[in-house]
Amino acid sequence: MNANKLADPGTKNPESVGPEPLSVALIGPDEERRQALAQALAESRRARVIEFHSYPAELHDLERLLAQSFDIICLDIDSEPDFALDLVEVISSTSAAKIMVYSGVTDQNNVLRCMRAGACEYLILPLKQDAVAEALDRATSTLNPGTPPTMKKGRLLVFLGAKGGSGVTTIACNLGIALAQETDQRTLIIDLALPMGDAALNLGIAAKYSTDDALRNLNRLDANFLHSLLAKHRSGISVLAAPSNVPEVEASKMAIDKLMVVARREFDNVIVDVGSRTDLMGTALFNSASTIYLVTQAGISELRNSNRLISQFFNEGGPKLEIVINRFEPHSLGGVNEEVITKALGKPLRWKIPDDQDATRKLQNTATGQSLGETPISRAILAMASSISGRPVPRETKKDLGPSGYGRGNPPEWVSNTEGSPNITSRTTTFARPTPTVAWSTPDPITCGDPLTAVQLNAKASVPGDFIYTPGAGYVLPAGMHTLWVTFNPADSEDSPVQSAVTIEVSRATPVISWPAPPVIACGTALSATQLNATATVPGTFEYTPAAGEVLAPGTHTLSVTFTPANPANYETARASVVATVAKVKPVIEWPVPDPITYGTALSATQLNATASVPGKFDYSPAAGEVLSAGTHTVTVTFSPADNTNYATARATVSVIVAKAKPVIAWPTPDPITYGTVLSDMHLNATASVPGTFDYTPGSGAMVAAGEHTPSVAFTPVDTSNYSSANAAVSLTVRKATPTVAWPTPNPIICGIALSATQLNATATVPGVFEYTPAAGEVLPPGTHTLSVTFTPTDTLNYSTVQAVVSLTVTDNLPAAITWSVPSAISYGVPLSAAQLNATASAEGTFVYTPSAGVVLAPGRYTLSVSFTPAETANCAAAQANVALEVEGLPNVASLLTATAQTPAAPTVTANHIASAESDEVTSGPTLMQENHRKTRTYKGAVYVQGDDGQWHLQQK
C-alpha cells in the first residue's frame, strides 16, 4: 500500500482558522475519484489528508495504517466492493476512527450495506457543494477528543509442528485449559490443522460447526456469528473445531485475517493449532502473532525440518518464536542434548516437554480437565501459561515429583479446582470411585460409501451418560481398517469421562454403472459417445466392447463396458452391458413441395413426383387422378425399396394447397338502349359455370342516365367451400331519348290575324323550351305557310333537341267548325277505327286523320289530328282539330277469365294493364265463343284466342 503525503499530519494548516484540523486517510485505487475527494477535502480547509493508492493487502498493513491514529478514514467502495466492505467492517470493529465511503454510483442497497458494515457517511461523486464540509461536521460531533483510535486485540498464540505427529494439538489444548483456569482469561482454541485437525477429539467434545463455516461466511463473520460457531469445554475454554471433511474450497488469506481480528477482539488468548501447515505463513497468523510456538522433537528429521522453517520464515526482526521440544530425554544414549539441539536449530530452546507416555496418554484422553497429578509435563505446561499471562508459577508442595530441568522455574504447588484441568491436581484425599466401563463390540465390516450409523456407533456404558463418537454418525470412511473412538461423559459429574475404541473394516465398494439402452442405430453409423455413454457413481475410466468407431451390421448386438475406478483403493472394477439395435438403412426421399393447384385439378405426376436414393416403388395417398377439395392437404408416399434386406420402408409427406376455383362468368355486351329504358333481364343476363346467385349493380329496374356505363355483377357460388366469389362487368351505352313533340295542324286563319298560342301550341313529352318560326305576333299573308318549332329539353343530358313543322292556311274565309269527341281508351293491339276517328264539320268536305285508321298504337297517350278540306272553298276555309287517346297495355286475359268465372260483373283489371278511369267503355263482360275448337274472348274491342300453350294471344285480323 503506497501513500502520498499531501499535508503534514503533525503541523496545522497555516491558512486554517478554528479547531485542530482532522487527520484523514484517503484510500482509493481509482485516481480520478480519489483526486476529486482530495480536492473537496482541501477546499474545506479542515483536514490534513494522506492519500493511499491501494487497499491494505494484509492485516499488518491495516494495523500500520490504524497505528497512525487517523480521525477519519475515507474509502473508495467502487474499485473492489466486496473487499472494501470487509475493510469497513474490520476497521469499524477494531478502531475508533470514523469511516466515510465514497462512490460514483447511487445504489440504495449498497448504501445500506456500507452503513451496516460501520460507515458513517456515504459520499456520492460528483460531490455537491458543501457535502464534504457537512460530513466533516457530523463526524467531528461524534469524535471523542483526546482518544486516539486503537485496535483492541488479545494475544495470538500460534502452534506450528515441524513434522506431523509432533504433539502440537496435545500441547495447544492443555495450554488453553491452563490459561483459562489459572488466569480467568477468556481463551479460544482455533483448529486450522487441516485436513484432519483433532483438537475437539483431544478435548472430548462434539462440535456442530467448524472453521470452514466461519471462513466460508466472511460477510457474516462478526462477534455474534463467531460465538454461534463455538463449542464450549467444561474447563471454560471455547473451541472452533476443524471440519469433519476436507473443505471443498481453500480459505482466502483475507478470510483467515478477518477471523483472527474478530477472535482477538473477543478473547484474551487466541490459540491457533495449524499442525504442520506452512501455507499460512503469509497470513495474520504469523505476521501478527504474539508468539509462535515451533513444536518439534529431538529426532534428526524433526530438527532438520525445524532448521529449514527457522531459516526461511523466522529471520531476525520476524515474529516472536519460541521453540518447544516435545518428548525430551535429557539423558538419552543418543547424545542429542540441549546443546546439540540449540546448535542444530541456531536458536535456544524455550520449552522442554519431557517424554512421559503415560502422562501424555492421559492428556490426550482427558475430556474434562480432571486431575492428572503433579507430572513433569503438567508443570512444564503450567510454566508456559505463566509466561504468557505474567502471573507467577504456583509454589511447589513436594520436592521429589520428578526430574529437574523441565519447564521454567521451580515445580508448582498444585491447588484444588472444581472444574479440573490436565495440568492441575488436587491434594485432597478421596476414596476411589469405581470407574465406569464402556462395552463396544467390534462392528461388522461396511462398504466404502456407507456413512457411519447407530449400527456401528453402538457403545454401551455401565452408568448413564452421553456418548461422543469420533468420527461421528454420517461420516464416510475410506476403504481399509479404521479406529472408531468414543468419549463417554457420565451423567454423574463425579465420574470421570471414559474413552474407548474399536476397529472397523471398510471394504471396497462396487461402483454403480448407469447405461441407458441406446436408441436404434442407423446402418452404417459408427459407434460413438451417443451409444457408449455409460456413467458411474465415482470417477474412473470406461473400456467398451466393441469400441468406439466400429460399424455394426443391421440386427441386435450386445455392448459391454468395463469400468476401472480412479480410486481403486475404495472401489472395485465394475462391468455392465446393454443391447443395441442397428436398423436397416432408411432411404432418403426427396419430394419438393408442389405448387398450389386449383380446385378441380386432378393429382398427377406434377405433384406426385417424389424420388428416392435407391430403386424402389412409390405408393401415393391420395393417388393420382383424385380431385381434392379446396384447402391444405397432406399427401403421403410410402416407398418400398427393391433391396429390402438392407433398406427399410420409408415414408414422406408434403403439403398440397388446393386453392378455390374461380367461376367463369359469361355476360354478353348489351345492345345500346335509350334513356328511359329500365334495366331488366334483357340486359342483366350474366351466366356462370357453376350454380350461384348474381348481384347486379345497378340492379334490375334501375334507369341509368344517358352515356357510357359499366354495369357490374358479383357472383356468389352455392359451393363456397370450393369456389370463390367472382365479379364481372360489361359496357352499356345509353343513348339520349328523343322527346315526342305533338303539334296539331292549326285551323286556317283569316288573313290579318297575328300568330298566337292558338297556332303555336306544340307540346312535348318532357319539360323544355319551344322556339317558333315565324314567331308569335307575326301576320302572315293569305296562302299556305309552314310553321316550324325547335324544342330544347330542360334535361339536355338525357334528351335531344327536336324539331317539328305544321302547315297553316291563311284565307280570306272563316274555317269550317269541326266537332270531335274525345274517344274512350283502347287496349294495346286494337287498331284505330271510326270509333275513334269520328270527327264532323259544319260544311261538306273530306277528313284526313293522323294517324289513320287501321294503325295499331303502342301503349301510351297520343294526340289524334284531323285536317278538314271543305268541298266549297268559296264559303269556308279548311280546318284542323285534335283529340287525345289513351292506349292501355295488354291485359292478363287468363286472370280476367278466372275473375269472370267467379263474378259475372265487369272485370277489375290492375293499373298495370287497364286504367279504371276508362271502365265505362268496357263491354259488359267477356264473351267466349268457339272458333275452330279454340276458346276466344273480346276485351275492349280486341279478340283474344287461347293457344296450345294455354296462354291468350291477340287474334290477328
Side-chain angles (χ1 to χ4, degrees):
M1 181 174 67
N2 299 322
N4 180 21
K5 188 175 180 181
L6 301 183
D8 185 1
T11 60
K12 288 188 176 181
N13 188 335
E15 298 181 0
S16 64
V17 178
E20 181 77 13
L22 300 169
S23 59
V24 178
L26 178 55
I27 306 173
D30 186 83
E31 182 75 16
E32 183 178 355
R33 288 194 295 269
R34 191 180 69 254
Q35 289 301 322
L37 186 56
Q39 179 67 26
L41 289 168
E43 292 175 354
S44 72
R45 300 186 178 185
R46 299 181 52 190
R48 293 191 182 94
V49 181
I50 294 181
E51 291 186 42
F52 296 88
H53 300 204
S54 63
Y55 296 122
E58 305 291 346
L59 185 62
H60 62 270
D61 294 328
L62 180 59
E63 290 176 341
R64 286 198 294 269
L65 171 71
L66 298 180
Q68 300 182 49
S69 301
F70 290 103
D71 296 311
I72 296 174
I73 298 176
C74 295
L75 195 64
D76 179 3
I77 202 69
D78 289 346
S79 297
E80 294 183 47
D82 292 337
F83 187 84
L85 278 172
D86 290 339
L87 283 176
V88 171
E89 186 170 350
V90 172
I91 294 171
S92 65
S93 63
T94 57
S95 172
K98 298 299 178 184
I99 305 174
M100 298 182 182
V101 297
Y102 61 94
S103 170
V105 179
T106 302
D107 185 343
Q108 294 300 325
N109 185 49
N110 212 29
V111 173
L112 183 60
R113 292 177 65 195
C114 290
M115 294 305 174
R116 286 177 175 173
C120 64
E121 296 288 341
Y122 191 98
L123 303 175
I124 299 175
L125 300 175
L127 294 165
K128 295 182 180 179
Q129 187 176 4
D130 299 331
V132 171
E134 293 173 359
L136 292 176
D137 287 339
R138 290 189 291 269
T140 303
S141 64
T142 58
L143 282 175
N144 187 5
T147 303
T150 59
M151 177 181 286
K152 177 185 176 181
K153 52 187 177 182
R155 300 183 190 92
L156 180 57
L157 309 173
V158 180
F159 281 79
L160 172 66
K163 188 178 180 182
S166 298
V168 174
T169 301
T170 300
I171 297 174
C173 290
N174 285 278
L175 177 61
I177 294 175
L179 284 172
Q181 294 188 339
E182 290 299 312
T183 65
D184 294 329
Q185 293 179 343
R186 294 174 300 167
T187 301
L188 169 66
I189 296 178
I190 300 177
D191 192 351
L192 288 177
L194 301 179
M196 297 298 287
D198 54 2
L201 176 61
N202 265 266
L203 294 169
I205 59 176
K208 185 177 181 180
Y209 302 103
S210 69
T211 54
D212 190 41
D213 296 300
L215 299 176
R216 284 190 297 106
N217 294 277
L218 189 60
N219 292 334
R220 297 177 56 194
L221 185 54
D222 55 15
N224 292 331
F225 185 65
L226 175 61
H227 280 287
S228 69
L229 302 178
L230 302 180
K232 199 72 172 178
H233 186 258
R234 290 187 179 185
S235 64
I237 63 172
S238 298
V239 180
L240 183 57
S244 299
N245 299 321
V246 178
E248 296 180 359
V249 180
E250 184 177 354
S252 65
K253 293 172 63 176
M254 174 59 74
I256 295 175
D257 290 349
K258 185 174 181 181
L259 175 59
M260 295 303 110
V261 169
V262 177
R264 296 178 69 183
R265 189 177 66 243
E266 295 298 310
F267 291 89
D268 301 300
N269 302 299
V270 178
I271 299 174
V272 183
D273 176 5
V274 298
S276 301
R277 295 181 63 182
T278 58
D279 59 307
L280 302 176
M281 286 295 183
T283 65
L285 283 173
F286 293 91
N287 295 330
S288 303
S290 305
T291 304
I292 299 175
Y293 296 92
L294 177 58
V295 181
T296 184
Q297 296 184 27
I300 295 176
S301 62
E302 287 86 353
L303 294 177
R304 182 190 61 182
N305 287 352
S306 299
N307 179 268
R308 292 175 177 175
L309 291 173
I310 293 171
S311 300
Q312 184 174 355
F313 299 110
F314 301 105
N315 295 322
E316 294 296 331
K320 181 180 178 182
L321 176 67
E322 295 188 2
I323 299 175
V324 181
I325 295 293
N326 193 22
R327 301 168 190 160
F328 179 65
E329 297 182 61
H331 305 295
S332 64
L333 297 177
V336 183
N337 54 28
E338 183 174 351
E339 181 181 356
V340 174
I341 294 174
T342 301
K343 185 176 180 180
L345 299 180
K347 285 183 178 291
L349 298 183
R350 176 65 167 165
W351 305 104
K352 293 166 286 184
I353 308 299
D355 185 14
D356 188 343
Q357 294 185 3
D358 291 336
T360 301
R361 189 175 298 108
K362 290 180 180 180
L363 286 174
Q364 291 176 335
N365 297 336
T366 299
T368 61
Q370 295 295 331
S371 172
L372 297 178
E374 295 179 352
T375 65
I377 293 179
S378 62
R379 288 196 298 273
I381 292 178
L382 189 60
M384 292 176 66
S386 178
S387 70
I388 295 170
S389 65
R391 297 185 181 185
V393 179
R395 57 189 173 85
E396 184 180 13
T397 61
K398 192 173 184 179
K399 298 298 183 180
D400 57 350
L401 295 177
S404 61
Y406 296 105
R408 298 191 64 195
N410 297 322
E413 175 183 348
W414 307 107
V415 296
S416 175
N417 188 296
T418 57
E419 291 296 326
S421 167
N423 308 320
I424 301 170
T425 186
S426 173
R427 277 305 190 183
T428 303
T429 301
T430 59
F431 293 100
R433 291 172 58 88
T435 302
T437 60
V438 174
W440 193 3
S441 301
T442 301
D444 295 331
I446 62 174
T447 303
C448 179
D450 294 339
L452 294 175
T453 66
V455 176
Q456 297 82 34
L457 308 179
N458 58 352
K460 295 179 174 57
S462 58
V463 295
D466 298 325
F467 293 93
I468 300 174
Y469 294 95
T470 302
Y475 193 82
V476 177
L477 296 172
M481 298 300 296
H482 298 272
T483 299
L484 305 181
W485 288 85
V486 66
T487 299
F488 174 69
N489 294 318
D492 189 344
S493 61
E494 296 296 325
D495 291 328
S496 300
V498 179
Q499 286 191 326
S500 181
V502 294
T503 58
I504 185 170
E505 180 184 355
V506 180
S507 61
R508 291 194 300 173
T510 300
V512 177
I513 299 178
S514 298
W515 194 2
V520 176
I521 307 171
C523 181
T525 302
L527 293 177
S528 66
T530 303
Q531 299 82 29
L532 310 179
N533 58 347
T535 59
T537 52
V538 296
T541 57
F542 296 89
E543 184 177 354
Y544 295 94
T545 302
E550 290 195 33
V551 178
L552 303 179
T556 301
H557 301 267
T558 299
L559 310 181
S560 60
V561 65
T562 300
F563 173 72
T564 303
N567 183 6
N570 290 325
Y571 295 96
E572 300 278 359
T573 299
R575 292 173 176 80
S577 63
V578 293
V579 175
T581 301
V582 179
K584 296 178 181 179
V585 178
K586 188 175 182 179
V588 177
I589 298 177
E590 294 185 358
W591 193 0
V593 177
D595 294 331
I597 61 176
T598 303
Y599 171 71
T601 303
L603 293 176
S604 65
T606 304
Q607 297 81 35
L608 310 179
N609 56 350
T611 59
S613 55
V614 295
K617 177 185 176 183
F618 295 92
D619 184 13
Y620 294 95
S621 178
E626 291 195 32
V627 176
L628 303 178
S629 60
T632 301
H633 299 267
T634 299
V635 182
T636 304
V637 65
T638 300
F639 175 72
S640 300
D643 178 7
N644 57 14
T645 301
N646 294 312
Y647 293 93
T649 301
R651 291 176 176 79
T653 60
V654 294
S655 294
V656 176
I657 298 176
V658 180
K660 292 182 179 181
K662 189 173 183 179
V664 178
I665 298 178
W667 192 1
T669 301
D671 294 334
I673 61 174
T674 301
Y675 174 72
T677 303
V678 296
L679 297 179
S680 64
D681 293 344
M682 184 181 299
H683 317 100
L684 309 178
N685 56 351
T687 59
S689 56
V690 295
T693 58
F694 295 90
D695 184 13
Y696 294 95
T697 301
S700 178
M703 184 172 63
V704 295
E708 295 296 328
H709 296 271
T710 306
S712 62
V713 64
F715 174 73
T716 302
V718 173
D719 182 5
T720 56
S721 298
N722 294 312
Y723 292 94
S724 61
S725 299
N727 297 286
V730 294
S731 296
L732 174 64
T733 300
V734 180
R735 293 191 289 254
K736 291 183 179 182
T738 301
T740 301
V741 175
W743 194 3
T745 302
N747 294 326
I749 61 174
I750 299 173
C751 181
I753 297 175
L755 292 176
S756 65
T758 304
Q759 298 80 34
L760 308 178
N761 58 347
T763 60
T765 53
V766 295
V769 178
F770 296 92
E771 185 177 354
Y772 294 95
T773 302
E778 288 194 29
V779 177
L780 300 178
T784 300
H785 300 271
T786 299
L787 305 181
S788 65
V789 64
T790 299
F791 174 72
T792 302
T794 302
D795 182 6
T796 57
L797 175 64
N798 295 311
Y799 293 93
S800 58
T801 301
V802 179
Q803 292 183 337
V805 296
V806 293
S807 295
L808 175 64
T809 301
V810 179
T811 179
D812 291 336
N813 298 324
L814 293 173
I818 297 176
T819 302
W820 195 2
S821 300
V822 176
S824 299
I826 63 175
S827 297
Y828 167 67
V830 176
L832 294 177
S833 63
Q836 296 82 31
L837 309 178
N838 56 357
T840 59
S842 57
E844 295 292 332
T846 59
F847 295 90
V848 177
Y849 293 94
T850 303
S852 59
V855 174
V856 177
L857 299 177
R861 188 175 182 83
Y862 297 89
T863 298
L864 306 181
S865 302
V866 65
S867 295
F868 174 72
T869 303
E872 297 289 339
T873 57
N875 297 324
C876 62
Q880 291 82 30
N882 301 297
V883 293
L885 175 65
E886 182 75 24
V887 180
E888 297 176 342
L890 185 66
N892 187 337
V893 178
S895 63
L896 291 175
L897 181 61
T898 303
T900 302
Q902 294 173 353
T903 305
T908 300
V909 184
T910 61
N912 289 334
H913 302 283
I914 303 173
S916 60
E918 304 295 336
S919 60
D920 56 327
E921 295 296 323
V922 179
T923 59
S924 59
T927 302
L928 298 178
M929 53 186 165
Q930 298 292 330
E931 181 181 347
N932 297 328
H933 305 289
R934 292 182 183 273
K935 293 182 179 180
T936 61
R937 68 157 293 174
T938 301
Y939 182 73
K940 288 194 174 182
V943 179
Y944 298 89
V945 180
Q946 190 175 34
D948 294 335
D949 57 0
Q951 301 297 319
W952 294 91
H953 301 276
L954 180 67
Q955 187 179 44
Q956 301 297 324
K957 295 183 178 181

